[in-house]
């Protein structure tokens, strides 16, 4: 599994987070997506890696600006992990 972290400019409220999450879910096959307007980021967990250019295009089309895309293997955090 892969975790992809997007730094996004323009999200200012929970509705913005929802808008970005809905866009990601509708355009890509993902296991989980969460956004934070306070952190200015969206975290996506997917079975395989997602293309940065396609993510950027989809998010930018909604009126938000992707500043960076970073992907790495997903490591599930357990209840007692540090």
């Amino acid at each position: 599994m892969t975790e992809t972290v997007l730094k996004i400019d323009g999200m200012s409220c929970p509705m913005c987070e929802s808008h970005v999450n809905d866009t990601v879910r509708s355009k890509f096959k993902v296991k989980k997506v969460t956004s934070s307007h306070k952190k200015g980021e969206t975290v996506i967990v997917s079975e395989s890696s997602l293309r940065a250019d396609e993510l950027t295009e989809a998010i930018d089309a909604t009126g938000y600006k992707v500043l960076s895309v970073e992907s790495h293997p997903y490591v599930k955090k357990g209840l007692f992990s540090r």
Side-chain angles (χ1 to χ4, degrees), residues 3-82:
E3 182 176 68
T4 305
V5 180
L6 308 173
K7 291 294 182 182
I8 300 177
D9 185 40
M11 291 192 296
S12 59
C13 66
M15 197 63 184
C16 296
E17 297 170 359
S18 179
H19 194 199
V20 169
N21 292 347
D22 290 345
T23 298
V24 170
R25 283 188 197 102
S26 70
K27 306 255 184 213
F28 304 94
K29 190 173 183 176
V30 299
K31 291 283 190 182
K32 181 179 177 182
V33 58
T34 57
S35 295
S36 169
H37 69 280
K38 292 179 182 178
K39 292 181 182 178
E41 74 178 18
T42 296
V43 179
I44 304 165
V45 177
S46 56
E47 287 289 337
S48 58
S49 60
L50 303 174
R51 290 186 43 181
D53 60 333
E54 291 177 353
L55 284 166
T56 300
E57 183 180 327
I59 300 298
D60 286 354
T62 63
Y64 305 100
K65 176 84 173 133
V66 175
L67 304 175
S68 68
V69 179
E70 186 179 304
S71 293
H72 52 271
Y74 174 69
V75 178
K76 186 173 182 176
K77 297 171 182 79
L79 181 61
F80 299 107
S81 64
R82 291 181 182 229

